[in-house]
Amino acid sequence: MEQTWRWFGPDDAVRLPQIRQAGASGIVTALHHIPYGVVWSVDEISKRRDMIADDAELGLRWSVVESLPVAEAIKLGEGDLAALFDNYRQSIRNLAACGVTTICYNFMAVLDWTRTELAFRLPGGGTALRFNADAFAAFDCYILERPGAEADHSEDVLRRAKAWVARASQSDKDRLLATIMAGLPGAYDRYDVPGLRRMLDRYHGIDHAALRANYARFLREVVPAAEEAGVSLCVHPDDPPRDLFGLPRVVSSADDLQFIVDACPSVANGITFCTGALGAGAQNDVPAMAARFAPHIRFAHLRNVTKNADGSFMEADHLGGDVDMVAVVTTLLKEQARRKQAGKANWRIPFRPDHGHELCDDIGRGTHPGYPLIGRLKGLAEIRGVMTAVASTAGLPM
């Protein structure tokens, strides 16, 4: 499996030599400065590719795009989308022309990954990302004041949410909004409360069936161009894998993944298998899903979560938490071996250590939330150890 690392570009506090020190050889990055829906030009792509490969001693390459964003109008099925589809197809072609042929994207409405705490304190003083059901309900019901929101939360969670609001200062509420917005990377729009209400209003009447239909249309429009260019598109699951703010989520379960691969059957229509995003859903048997969808996995995010019965969860150690990481890695290595035996040229599955704990000298360093250096280095080292042990024992290629 190709060891990769997410890098947010030249402004990232984590530098390319440090990524090489961590043991990664592939870079996962995106052109975050380009607005949604605008073509990624060959010039801009080449500039980022060459920046990564500039120091030959490091031996780094741009392995995966994360993400080539889908414009909100496409998710909404809103207006004349021909130009947006054309632009997305052209970006795919331009990336392929520059040698970047694995593209991660998501189809989450309005928000990307969502948490309520960015620095939950761990024993010893490290910090982790956390999703608290009561804080989320407090925001949904009593700050955002979304009509009908109370029906989406249990009585116990609502009771604790009211208590949260009662003791919260305005700065607490502002911090919670900023935390919920933190999953939108790069220069993407952040919303204040009125702005978020307006975005949610645009989705009025869009249910699961409608969003699935819009997603299937997107796949039919762009997958043929990806296949022709030799590109693998791989969708990232919803994070967390549940409806939020009344917005439907359609990449949250095994049923959803089956719908996606069936909606546009193609070698170019693949999956980013994120053990943390899927693992946050009580309905998901992550090792079983890895085995079921292994032929469609083109990229993997390996991290772990610990769940609570009320829907809360926390980012755990990469080999801790609720997901059997050894079982997942074993499945991915076996799938690689199958592809190699079948003569596939690109048989290795790129993976990256996803969200890590903020540890040691990274605390207060100002890295992107969830993306410190040391916590991810620790996770990559642990996963590398699992890979080595499994591959050696089972006689599988790394």
Side-chain angles (χ1 to χ4, degrees):
M1 291 161 65
E2 182 187 10
Q3 300 173 47
T4 70
W5 189 278
R6 189 169 190 184
W7 184 58
F8 290 91
D11 295 330
D12 197 326
V14 179
R15 302 303 183 189
L16 293 173
Q18 295 171 320
I19 294 171
R20 186 66 186 89
Q21 290 171 34
S25 59
I27 297 297
V28 178
T29 192
L31 305 182
H32 293 304
H33 59 287
I34 298 179
Y36 284 18
V38 175
V39 172
W40 289 15
S41 70
V42 167
D43 181 61
E44 288 288 344
I45 296 166
S46 299
K47 189 184 303 181
R48 179 63 58 85
R49 179 199 62 193
D50 295 346
M51 184 184 301
I52 292 166
D54 180 59
D55 187 341
E57 182 184 54
L58 298 181
L60 299 175
R61 73 182 191 100
W62 187 354
S63 174
V64 180
V65 172
E66 187 177 341
S67 295
L68 181 60
V70 179
E72 211 67 38
I74 291 175
K75 300 171 192 175
L76 286 158
E78 189 177 73
D80 183 359
L81 301 176
L84 287 174
F85 287 132
D86 281 343
N87 287 355
Y88 205 94
R89 287 188 289 260
Q90 191 58 51
S91 293
I92 290 171
R93 296 184 188 105
N94 290 348
L95 283 161
C98 294
V100 186
T101 57
T102 303
I103 300 175
C104 174
Y105 70 99
N106 75 69
F107 214 78
M108 289 181 261
V110 182
L111 299 174
D112 206 301
W113 60 264
T114 303
R115 302 291 185 271
T116 61
E117 289 187 62
L118 300 180
F120 179 81
R121 191 181 185 282
L122 301 168
T127 67
L129 302 180
R130 183 173 172 83
F131 181 95
N132 285 319
D134 52 348
F136 183 79
F139 183 86
D140 192 17
C141 300
Y142 309 120
I143 299 174
L144 184 62
E145 297 179 321
R146 179 174 63 89
E150 289 85 352
D152 292 343
H153 306 278
S154 71
E155 289 185 10
D156 182 56
V157 167
L158 287 174
R159 176 182 55 78
R160 288 186 279 119
K162 289 175 183 176
W164 189 97
V165 170
R167 66 177 181 268
S169 65
Q170 187 57 49
S171 64
D172 292 330
K173 296 174 184 178
D174 292 342
R175 188 180 307 110
L176 180 57
L177 171 64
T179 298
I180 289 171
M181 292 296 111
L184 297 171
Y188 303 158
D189 290 336
R190 266 66 170 167
Y191 305 109
D192 57 13
V193 168
L196 182 54
R197 287 180 184 139
R198 287 192 294 271
M199 280 302 304
L200 296 180
D201 285 344
R202 289 177 65 186
Y203 275 87
H204 182 71
I206 302 288
D207 59 10
H208 289 84
L211 190 59
R212 266 191 170 188
N214 293 342
Y215 185 17
R217 178 187 177 189
F218 167 76
L219 292 173
R220 291 192 299 270
E221 290 279 356
V222 304
V223 166
E227 184 172 342
E228 183 179 351
V231 165
S232 293
L233 294 173
C234 35
V235 65
H236 187 285
D238 304 322
D239 185 10
R242 68 189 73 168
D243 295 356
L244 297 178
F245 298 131
L247 296 166
R249 297 275 195 157
V250 294
V251 195
S252 292
S253 65
D255 179 65
D256 289 336
L257 295 183
Q258 192 63 56
F259 172 85
I260 291 161
V261 299
D262 291 344
C264 191
S266 169
V267 294
N269 181 22
I271 294 166
T272 295
F273 196 79
C274 181
T275 55
L278 294 169
Q283 76 276 16
N284 291 330
D285 181 337
V286 177
M289 293 173 74
R292 175 175 172 180
F293 295 103
H296 305 283
I297 296 172
R298 301 289 181 263
F299 181 36
H301 290 178
L302 300 182
R303 63 178 172 87
N304 224 318
V305 293
T306 301
K307 300 185 290 293
N308 301 109
D310 66 358
S312 301
F313 62 90
M314 189 184 76
E315 308 275 3
D317 290 326
H318 285 76
L319 300 186
D322 299 335
V323 176
D324 185 343
M325 194 64 70
V326 175
V328 172
V329 169
T330 300
T331 293
L332 295 178
L333 288 171
K334 287 179 177 179
E335 172 60 20
Q336 276 198 158
R338 184 193 67 80
R339 295 178 191 182
K340 185 178 183 182
Q341 188 173 20
K344 304 288 185 182
N346 297 320
W347 54 270
R348 278 197 170 89
I349 298 171
F351 81 94
R352 66 173 179 83
D354 207 357
H355 302 165
H357 293 166
E358 196 174 56
L359 304 171
C360 304
D361 292 346
D362 271 342
I363 297 173
R365 187 180 178 190
T367 53
H368 285 261
Y371 292 95
L373 171 61
I374 296 170
R376 285 187 290 163
L377 184 155
K378 175 175 176 279
L380 179 57
E382 291 173 345
I383 294 165
R384 185 187 301 127
V386 171
M387 287 169 48
T388 303
V390 171
S392 174
T393 300
L396 298 171
M398 286 275 283

